[in-house]
Every structure is written in C-alpha cells, then in structure tokens.
C-alpha cells in the first residue's frame, strides 16, 4: 500500500538510538503505559515499527516473545541486538492471517500516512481474542498545532484539523523537525480502530503537569 516509499529514519537511526534511550521519564511513562494496557501474556507480540527495539525488554518482562518489523534498515541495525526483527512495511505486514496473540505500535502512528490501513493489517494478523496496543503522542495536545513552550500552559491552534504532513514544531530537539509527522485527530484514530474490526476496551492518557502528552489504546480482535 506504500505507506511511505523512503525509509526516512535511515539517516537518523544513530541519532534516534541515543534520543529514545536517553529520554528518561518519557520512556518510563511509555513503558508503564504499554505494560498497563498489554498486560502479561505468552507467545509472540509483534512490535510494528519497532525502530531500535527500545520496548523489547518491556515485552519480555511481561512474558511475551517480542518480534519486530520496521521499514528502516538503519533502525533495524540497532533493534536486532534486542529482538528478532524483519524489514517490512506496516501497511503490508509480512505475517500470516490470524497468527498472532498480540501486537503493538508505539510512537509511530505519526510516521505513517495511512494509519487506518495499518490498523486493518493489525486486525488481519491478530488471532481472535488477540490484543493490540496503540501508543502514541496525544493527538489532542501534541502536534504541529500545539505550543508547549510555556508548559504547563499548552496552546492548541486551528491546525488541529490539518491532517497533512508537517515539520512544524514548537521545539527543535525532537523527531518532528527531522522527519516530520502526520496528524490524526482523536476521532479519526478511534473510528479507524473500530472500523478495522478491533474492539476498543481501554484508553490511557499519560503526562506531566496535568496535560497528557501520550495516549494509549487497548483493542481486541473479536472472535
Ligand atoms: C518514531 S520511530 C518509533 C520507533 C519505536 N516504535 C519507538 O517507539 O522507539 C518510528 C518508526 O516507524 C518506522 N516506520 C515508518 N514508516 C514505516 C512503515 N511504513 N512500515 C514500517 N515501519 C515504518 C520508522 O522507520 C521508525 O523506526
């Protein structure tokens, strides 16, 4: 389906490895939310857009067997020290139908121009009863439309409705100014999850200072 034609992260993989490993409290919150939503289990959990594999230890700690897929060979170079991982497109997962008990996609929805297509792939590869965790930047409060420079006051503007790809950012230290980001309003995200045939069972918001910067969803592939 061609979610993206160029592995944009190839040029930034060494930077990303240091960025995500050094992201301290943020990474701890991501991991705590993933653990809370996914819970303990057995069997393979596919980390879609696994990047450098930073979340593999969380999956292992919960009892899952992590396996990854990512488009970027540069990212996979780092990931392969942490989990078995293959090069592949999230929009055409190299995985058989109804074969997985669990999958997750963490901090990557904004890298994908057609996240609804990825959610349909998730529904295809999950077994009945299988779990899917979406974890991403909070679509209401993080994006080209949000200025965090006066945190805890966060200013959101009319670009919230703009779904296009953008490099605009209130700061110059993150992923957004390097590779840009897509934006999915929260209604689009929830509706796409449900439309893919996944049953939404839990929502978690996480953040500092009252304004959440992360949103996590747990959805189940019904029988
Ligand atoms: C911000 S990084 C997140 C990586 C990892 N999930 C994490 O939380 O650290 C986004 C990742 O999505 C990957 N990606 C982007 N488009 C993709 C696609 N169509 N299929 C698979 N991976 C993709 C990139 O190569 C990159 O590693």
């Amino acid at each position: 389906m061609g979610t993206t034609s160029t592995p944009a992260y190839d040029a930034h993989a060494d930077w990303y490895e240091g960025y995500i490993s050094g992201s301290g409290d943020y990474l701890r919150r991501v991991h705590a939310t993933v653990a809370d939503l996914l819970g303990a289990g057995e069997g393979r959990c596919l980390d879609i857009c696994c990047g450098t594999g930073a979340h593999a230890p969380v999956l292992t700690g919960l009892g899952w067997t992590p396996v990854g897929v990512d488009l970027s060979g540069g990212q996979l170079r780092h990931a392969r020290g942490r989990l078995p991982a293959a090069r592949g497109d999230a929009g055409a997962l190299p995985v058989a139908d109804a074969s997985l008990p669990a999958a997750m996609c963490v901090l990557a929805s904004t890298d994908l121009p057609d996240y609804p297509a990825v959610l349909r792939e998730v529904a295809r590869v999950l077994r009945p009863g299988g779990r899917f965790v979406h974890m991403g930047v909070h679509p209401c409060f993080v994006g080209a439309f949000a200025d965090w420079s006066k945190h805890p006051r966060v200013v959101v503007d009319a670009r919230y409705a703009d779904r296009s790809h953008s490099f605009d950012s209130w700061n110059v230290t993150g992923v957004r100014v390097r590779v840009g980001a897509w934006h999915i309003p929260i209604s689009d995200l929830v509706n796409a999850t449900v439309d893919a045939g996944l049953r939404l069972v839990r929502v978690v918001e996480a953040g500092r200072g009252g304004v959440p910067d992360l949103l996590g969803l747990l959805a189940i592939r019904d029988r």
Side-chain angles (χ1 to χ4, degrees):
M1 61 158 258
T3 44
T4 185
S5 54
T6 324
Y9 279 79
D10 279 359
H12 304 287
D14 292 344
W15 169 81
Y16 189 80
E17 165 66 9
Y19 173 78
I20 195 70
S21 324
S23 60
D25 174 61
Y26 187 73
L27 188 59
R28 276 190 288 280
R29 284 192 286 118
V30 169
H31 285 174
T33 308
V34 166
D36 175 28
L37 287 169
L38 186 63
E42 286 182 357
R44 287 181 301 160
C45 178
L46 180 64
D47 186 352
I48 300 166
C49 303
C50 65
T52 56
H55 316 308
V58 177
L59 296 179
T60 307
L62 291 166
W64 298 99
T65 302
V67 291
V69 64
D70 198 281
L71 204 58
S72 163
Q75 295 278 76
L76 288 170
R77 221 172 1 93
H78 294 286
R80 286 188 178 125
R82 297 181 174 121
L83 76 172
R87 188 160 188 273
D89 189 335
L93 292 171
V95 178
D97 294 359
S99 59
L100 293 174
M104 69 178 190
C105 185
V106 179
L107 299 177
S109 53
T110 48
D111 291 283
L112 296 158
D114 190 357
Y115 196 54
V118 175
L119 293 169
R120 290 193 293 275
E121 274 295 271
V122 168
R124 180 184 67 77
V125 302
L126 282 182
R127 285 180 198 154
R131 297 166 176 213
F132 172 63
V133 170
H134 160 90
M135 178 82 223
V137 297
H138 199 300
C140 300
F141 305 117
V142 179
F145 53 84
D147 181 355
W148 284 69
S149 61
K150 296 191 173 56
H151 181 253
R153 181 184 169 89
V154 177
V155 179
V156 170
D157 67 36
R159 289 173 294 170
Y160 178 74
D162 183 352
R163 293 159 171 79
S164 60
H165 191 255
S166 173
F167 287 82
D168 291 353
S169 174
W170 69 275
N171 72 12
V172 293
T173 56
V175 168
R176 194 169 291 272
V177 291
R178 288 176 175 256
V179 299
W182 297 91
H183 168 55
I184 311 171
I186 194 164
S187 52
D188 287 11
L189 175 64
V190 170
N191 290 335
T193 304
V194 172
D195 291 348
L198 299 166
R199 181 168 50 85
L200 187 58
V201 293
R202 193 164 157 78
V203 180
V204 172
E205 296 175 296
R208 303 173 288 124
V211 183
D213 56 1
L214 292 167
L215 178 78
L217 309 176
L218 171 64
I220 305 288
R221 177 82 175 102
D222 270 332
R223 283 161 211 284

